[in-house]
């Protein structure tokens, strides 16, 4: 969940497997934060961001 590196106009909200309904509220909070503020204070958001794959 989050912006893929080098794609400033894209926010991914996927990869929830079989828990996407349960995780919709927290996912929406992260996406709304990224859209309105460009960052989020949601705990653990960095650990599920697409950048974790490129940042190592
Ligand atoms: C069998 C099964 C059981 C599940 N059980 C649970 C559960 O118990 N609890 C839970 O929390 N989660 C569960 N999930 C997961 C949950 O259903 C999904 O994570 C959630 O529905 C994802 O929501 P979404 O809105 O991101 O995507 P989706 O619900 O997949 O919605 C995407 C929508 O976009 C539409 N679409 C696609 N391409 C286009 C296009 N080009 N143009 C226009 N529209 C398009 C699709 O038709 C669809 O309506 C289950 C999933 C499955 C498959």
């Amino acid at each position: 969940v989050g912006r893929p590196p080098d794609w400033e106009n894209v926010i991914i909200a996927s990869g929830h497997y079989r828990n996407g309904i349960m995780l919709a509220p927290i996912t929406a909070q992260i996406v709304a934060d990224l859209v309105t503020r460009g960052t989020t204070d949601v705990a653990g958001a960095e650990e599920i961001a697409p950048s974790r794959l490129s940042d190592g």
Side-chain angles (χ1 to χ4, degrees):
V1 178
R3 290 187 196 280
D6 304 324
W7 290 74
E8 287 302 314
N9 59 341
V10 174
I11 296 175
I12 296 174
S14 67
H16 298 83
Y17 188 50
R18 293 271 295 266
N19 296 305
I21 298 170
M22 181 179 66
L23 294 170
I26 194 69
T27 300
Q29 181 68 61
I30 294 171
V31 170
D33 285 347
L34 294 176
V35 168
T36 58
R37 298 195 292 124
T39 186
T40 182
D41 299 326
V42 172
E46 285 184 12
E47 292 165 29
I48 60 170
S51 58
R52 75 190 189 285
L53 302 173
S54 57
D55 294 347

